[in-house]
Amino acid sequence: MSSTVTRIRLGAVAAAASVAVLAGCSSSTPSAKTSTASCAPAKGKVTLQYWNTVPGMDKVVALWNKKSPAIQVETKNISNDQYGTLGNALKAGKAPDLAQVGYDELPNLRTQSAFVDASACSAATAAKSKFVPWTWSQTSFGGTGVFALPQDTGPMALYVRSDIFKKYGIAIPTTWDEYATAAAKLHKADSQLDITFFDPNNAEWFNGLLWQKNAQMYSYSGDKWQVTVASDQSRQVADYWQKLISGKLVRTDLAHGSTQMYAAYQQNQIASYIGAAWGYSMFRDNLPQQAGKWTIVPMPTWGSNGASGDWGGSTVAFMKGGKHLYESVKFNTWLNTDPEALALENQLGGLYPAATAGLQLPALSKGVPYYNNEKIFDVFAGSSKKINTSFAWGPTQKTVNLALQDAMAKAAAGDGTLGDALSAAQASALKSMKDQAIPAAAGK
């Protein structure tokens, strides 16, 4: 998603992490109009267009095409500019039948009437039982329709170069206080070594940190959105990272997923990574020579509060303009619930499925060779159980994320602070909602 090539997780429990958009929120949002379509099967062979950002998805689609000659699918990878490409296609009336859309982008695109409600298809509504409940609530906007099917999720954890921590006699941190202490010790031991990096152009990652702290960014009451992006909890997270940045204990010059980021890890300049379940394949595929040097442990906690966070999560949305809804529902359901498809998506793209069938994937119950044969997915399953399920995204999240990133980049360069960035994001949320006639107020 966006510039971070976002993937995501297996909803290990029914009460896994949530980005629940309240039914009242979405249904009352002005201009949240939805296209309707017939669910009549096509006469003859059909070719669907499916756009996504997942590595190896072409091979998954090839498997479907082999099994289903009457419904063929053409896939296009749009990871270079996911939402720009989708936005341009929507404006030109050339959107694909199906597209990967992050949970946090669903409300924003719905206000642009980007989706078709697939609830006319009984197979679409029947799919509800196949997914972890919170993810279904996301894609149906609390039960007002079926606009997408859940694909994956992203419980967070701490990836650790255990050999580096062992070399300097530093215990793997379990709390954020311990993490800051470890950051100082590592940098003192080797001035070229940092504990991690802070990407100021990655609002989605930062939002995951806020989520862990129970920093509710939005809620809905009194017939309007209550905006609390710059809450006290959010500011505590911002202040924590500002201290690490000001103390030059974390890198701020690396973009997530960039060649430079991998080079820094390759050169042993960074000792840990705060990421989601889908990140396990990034290191495996891009740093094969570091096999056996990484371990994955629970995310550092805020004191005794054991909560975790979620970063990312994707759906496969039914896009406005698609001419073959019946066939799109058939493919979409197979893609995101069939065990063979789920296993291949996990193997090739690192997806952590949102379907309950994903719980049974053999690959997720075994040790992973790259990580010393440790059962790393047990860590992510534990993380899933500790994520606040009431966390909600706002209807102008993309605009807010851009404002947050712009201000975080300034802070990283010494112009202002991360606390200022939260204030800028709060102001952007209120203004963007006002501009779209969406009732909103600054919450407490």
Side-chain angles (χ1 to χ4, degrees):
M1 298 162 54
S2 75
S3 62
T4 62
V5 192
T6 308
R7 307 287 170 265
I8 326 321
R9 84 172 172 225
L10 160 75
V13 195
S18 170
V19 282
V21 175
L22 308 177
C25 303
S26 55
S27 61
S28 63
T29 300
S31 74
K33 299 175 182 178
T34 304
S35 301
T36 56
S38 167
C39 196
K43 297 179 181 179
K45 184 177 178 179
V46 166
T47 299
L48 304 176
Q49 296 292 323
Y50 167 42
W51 295 0
N52 65 88
T53 69
V54 184
M57 187 55 75
D58 56 330
K59 293 182 176 61
V60 182
V61 169
L63 176 63
W64 164 268
N65 287 338
K66 183 178 179 180
K67 291 173 174 286
S68 181
I71 305 174
Q72 293 289 283
V73 178
E74 294 179 352
T75 183
K76 177 181 178 180
N77 189 294
I78 56 172
S79 56
N80 286 337
D81 185 15
Q82 183 178 3
Y83 295 113
T85 302
L86 273 180
N88 291 335
L90 284 165
K91 290 177 183 177
K94 297 181 179 180
D97 300 272
L98 298 162
Q100 180 185 359
V101 176
Y103 294 106
D104 60 342
E105 283 289 338
L106 286 172
N108 178 54
L109 284 173
R110 193 188 177 200
T111 64
Q112 301 174 39
S113 304
F115 306 131
V116 170
D117 182 358
S119 58
C121 299
S122 59
T125 55
K128 177 179 180 179
S129 63
K130 300 178 184 292
F131 295 97
V132 173
W134 76 263
T135 63
W136 185 264
S137 179
Q138 275 294 290
T139 59
S140 66
F141 291 95
T144 62
V146 181
F147 306 95
L149 295 187
Q151 185 165 73
D152 58 334
T153 55
M156 298 177 75
L158 179 65
Y159 294 62
V160 177
R161 275 288 302 275
S162 53
D163 59 324
I164 293 178
F165 275 76
K166 183 178 181 180
K167 175 181 179 180
Y168 295 111
I170 299 172
I172 295 176
T174 59
T175 68
W176 286 115
D177 282 345
E178 292 176 359
Y179 192 77
T181 299
K185 289 181 177 179
L186 285 169
H187 197 67
K188 182 178 181 180
D190 181 350
S191 61
Q192 301 301 310
L193 177 63
D194 293 286
I195 195 167
T196 194
F197 69 100
F198 183 99
D199 179 0
N201 293 304
N202 196 330
E204 293 92 344
W205 173 79
F206 190 71
N207 289 338
L209 300 178
L210 299 181
W211 194 338
Q212 183 199 24
K213 186 59 175 170
N214 195 27
Q216 298 282 2
M217 300 172 74
Y218 307 90
S219 60
Y220 196 83
S221 62
D223 295 325
K224 64 178 62 175
W225 287 90
Q226 305 296 320
V227 181
T228 51
V229 175
S231 67
D232 289 343
Q233 291 91 336
S234 295
R235 291 189 180 281
Q236 289 175 36
V237 177
D239 290 346
Y240 175 89
W241 285 95
Q242 184 61 55
K243 289 179 181 177
L244 291 179
I245 291 172
S246 298
K248 300 187 183 305
L249 297 177
V250 294
R251 295 274 293 270
T252 59
D253 61 336
L254 301 174
H256 183 268
S258 66
T259 301
Q260 292 80 7
M261 183 202 81
Y262 290 119
Y265 280 109
Q266 174 61 39
Q267 294 165 17
N268 301 322
Q269 295 174 349
I270 305 180
S272 72
Y273 168 79
I274 301 161
W278 44 265
Y280 92 94
S281 62
M282 290 173 27
F283 288 87
R284 178 199 66 191
D285 297 343
N286 291 281
L287 298 171
Q289 62 275 32
Q290 291 188 355
K293 296 182 179 181
W294 287 93
T295 189
I296 298 177
V297 299
M299 196 172 179
T301 62
W302 292 97
S304 60
N305 184 340
S308 191
D310 184 274
W311 173 19
S314 292
T315 71
V316 177
F318 300 100
M319 304 301 293
K320 180 178 68 174
K323 298 179 176 61
H324 303 290
L325 187 60
Y326 174 85
E327 291 77 14
S328 293
V329 169
K330 288 197 70 171
F331 169 69
N332 202 347
T333 303
W334 175 87
L335 181 71
N336 292 306
T337 65
D338 181 84
E340 191 175 7
L342 295 177
L344 199 56
E345 290 159 22
N346 174 261
Q347 176 189 345
L348 299 175
L351 292 184
Y352 198 45
T356 52
L359 293 168
Q360 309 304 321
L361 290 182
L364 300 185
S365 62
K366 297 178 181 178
V368 178
Y370 184 85
Y371 297 93
N372 282 310
N373 288 314
E374 296 173 6
K375 294 184 177 181
I376 63 171
F377 291 108
D378 288 351
V379 177
F380 294 116
S383 174
S384 297
K385 300 175 184 178
K386 298 176 181 178
I387 299 173
N388 176 12
T389 59
S390 66
F391 190 90
W393 300 112
T396 59
Q397 191 65 46
K398 181 177 181 179
T399 300
V400 175
N401 281 349
L402 290 173
L404 180 60
Q405 289 174 178
D406 181 64
M408 288 199 303
K410 292 179 179 177
D415 181 7
T417 67
L418 294 180
D420 296 332
L422 288 174
S423 297
Q426 168 96 2
S428 175
L430 291 169
K431 182 180 185 302
S432 59
M433 290 186 196
K434 180 180 178 180
D435 290 345
Q436 296 187 42
I438 301 173
K444 297 181 180 179

